[in-house]
Amino acid sequence: MCLLIGWTFSAIMRTTMCIVQIILNLAMSTMIFSRKSLRTSFTVYVVFLLSSNLLVAIMQYPLEIQRILYRKWSLSEASCTLYLYNIWVLLALPIHSHLLLTINRLWALTFPLSYKNHHSKRVAGILCGVTLLYIHVFFLPLVIIDRGFYRASSRTYGCTTNYAMPMVNKYAIAVQMVGCNIPLLFIVVVFPYLAVMERQRKRTVGLAQTATPYNLGIMGFFANAIAQPNHSHSSPNKARAATVRRNNRLSNRPFALLTLLTISITICWTPIFTYWTTVLFVPLGSDYSGFRNFASALVTLQPALDPILFGLSLRNVRKVFVQQITCR
């Protein structure tokens, strides 16, 4: 018999966050799809992340809430398999979506000409599809091996991966390290390099703003003189500087978004990744349940923060949001 524990703080928080995440991520995705101006190659990654958050909220949270409410697993073995699939496979989607955003900025800032010439919505879609395929190829075998050969009865021992079996434990360590810890570490370690590259790009743009036909070289001088023999050079220079400043502001927005996302995922994901990694090597008792609940609560905040950070960082998104609110 499965005894109902009741609506604890953890169950109430997950239920609330589930509703909030569905509303925010669905609203942001709908907004991007509804406006052609928002459907860019960069927002392909944004939609991929929002879709990942939606899948987690719809498929994982109801089962997680059920597990919290009852002392023992009260659903079928198939539901337990789905629950473990969500934990190992589905929860890997958001962190890899953030990884794609970091790789996108790394490409744009390190190889700007290559990015301009080769990156497109089609390329972004292919990268998202390859990431989805990679996650299933690498993560799904753990669920299949555990379910087919080693899992104990979920009604008796609860719905959990059987880490006591050496093969399952070793594969789980590989998945945690390669599929979870390394992507998060890569995002954090690469960010200072991206910050330096962004600063250099701004400096280059600043030099371009002050350029005139007289400091572009003798060939630049004659080229401008031939094109505009009887006009002052001040107006073209001002127009060019204004255009450069506008483009600079536009290109700053993805990096501003990346900055906020990097800070948030570092805070929200590091504690739970630390706990999961430790459990694979050293069994932790109930003394650490408080830290586990705290770390799990932080993870639930990230999917709700993502669409909010998008709105704060991307001016076009804010503009469309205001237009929809005011019915303009």
Side-chain angles (χ1 to χ4, degrees), residues 7 44 70 88 109 122 139 176 180 200 232 245 279:
W7 285 92
V44 171
Y70 291 90
W88 285 108
L109 292 173
R122 181 174 178 271
F139 287 74
Q176 180 64 35
C180 299
Q200 291 180 354
S232 173
R245 284 194 298 269
V279 165

Side-chain angles (χ1 to χ4, degrees), residues 41 43 55 60 66 89 98 118 129 134 139 166 180 197 199 219 226-227 239 244 270 307 324 328:
S41 59
T43 55
L55 285 175
Q60 170 65 9
Q66 186 277 337
V89 180
H98 284 281
H118 300 291
Y134 155 74
F139 287 74
C180 299
M197 295 299 293
R199 183 177 180 181
M219 296 303 295
I226 292 172
V244 172
T270 300
Q324 291 184 347
R328 284 192 280 173

Side-chain angles (χ1 to χ4, degrees), residues 4 50 112 127 139 166 170 184 188 194 201 205 220 237 250 283 289:
L4 178 66
L50 296 175
L127 291 176
F139 287 74
K170 291 178 180 179
L184 179 60
V188 175
L194 295 179
R201 186 193 64 80
V205 171
N237 290 335
L250 290 173
S289 60

Side-chain angles (χ1 to χ4, degrees), residues 31-292:
M31 188 185 306
I32 292 175
F33 278 116
S34 63
R35 295 299 179 98
K36 186 177 180 180
S37 60
L38 298 180
R39 297 197 297 269
T40 65
S41 59
F42 180 77
T43 55
V44 171
Y45 304 107
V46 174
V47 171
F48 186 63
L49 175 56
L50 296 175
S51 301
S52 302
N53 292 339
L54 274 174
L55 285 175
V56 171
I58 294 173
M59 295 181 62
Q60 170 65 9
Y61 278 15
L63 295 175
E64 181 69 21
I65 294 169
Q66 186 277 337
R67 187 190 64 82
I68 296 173
L69 290 177
Y70 291 90
R71 293 186 182 275
K72 293 183 179 181
W73 187 259
S74 61
L75 302 177
S76 63
E77 290 292 337
S79 300
C80 178
T81 301
L82 177 61
Y83 174 74
L84 295 178
Y85 166 84
N86 294 339
I87 287 180
W88 285 108
V89 180
L90 207 59
L91 286 178
L93 281 174
I95 190 66
H96 283 80
S97 300
H98 284 281
L99 179 62
L100 280 177
L101 288 169
T102 299
I103 293 174
N104 174 267
R105 290 299 89 196
L106 183 63
W107 183 7
L109 292 173
T110 307
F111 306 103
L113 292 179
S114 172
Y115 183 83
K116 181 179 179 180
N117 294 330
H118 300 291
H119 190 263
S120 62
K121 287 188 282 187
R122 181 174 178 271
V123 172
I126 291 175
L127 291 176
C128 293
V130 170
T131 300
L132 184 63
L133 179 62
Y134 155 74
I135 290 174
H136 280 82
V137 169
F138 184 59
F139 287 74
L140 189 57
L142 176 61
V143 181
I144 295 175
I145 293 172
D146 178 70
R147 176 66 182 91
F149 302 101
Y150 301 110
R151 187 186 305 167
S153 173
S154 60
R155 293 296 184 94
T156 304
Y157 298 97
C159 184
T160 182
T161 304
N162 191 357
Y163 300 115
M165 305 308 297
M167 184 176 181
V168 175
N169 184 261
K170 291 178 180 179
Y171 201 100
I173 291 175
V175 167
Q176 180 64 35
M177 292 296 183
V178 178
C180 299
N181 294 357
I182 290 180
L184 179 60
L185 183 63
F186 179 85
I187 292 171
V188 175
V189 170
V190 169
F191 180 77
Y193 168 77
L194 295 179
V196 172
M197 295 299 293
E198 176 68 10
R199 183 177 180 181
Q200 291 180 354
R201 186 193 64 80
K202 289 181 179 180
R203 186 177 303 171
T204 303
V205 171
L207 292 175
Q209 291 176 1
T210 59
T212 67
Y214 301 99
N215 59 25
L216 289 175
I218 188 67
M219 296 303 295
F221 170 79
F222 284 112
N224 282 278
I226 292 172
Q228 299 173 355
N230 298 318
H231 299 279
S232 173
H233 296 294
S234 59
S235 296
N237 290 335
K238 290 181 179 180
R240 182 173 61 252
T243 302
V244 172
R245 284 194 298 269
R246 183 174 63 254
N247 293 336
N248 187 31
R249 289 194 300 269
L250 290 173
S251 58
N252 282 342
R253 291 164 192 166
F255 185 79
L257 172 61
L258 181 66
T259 301
L260 295 175
L261 290 177
T262 302
I263 295 173
S264 65
I265 65 173
T266 302
I267 296 174
C268 293
W269 283 92
T270 300
I272 196 64
F273 278 4
T274 302
Y275 177 84
W276 286 343
T277 303
T278 305
V279 165
L280 292 174
F281 291 96
V282 181
L284 299 179
S286 58
D287 294 339
Y288 295 90
S289 60
F291 177 78
R292 181 190 62 199

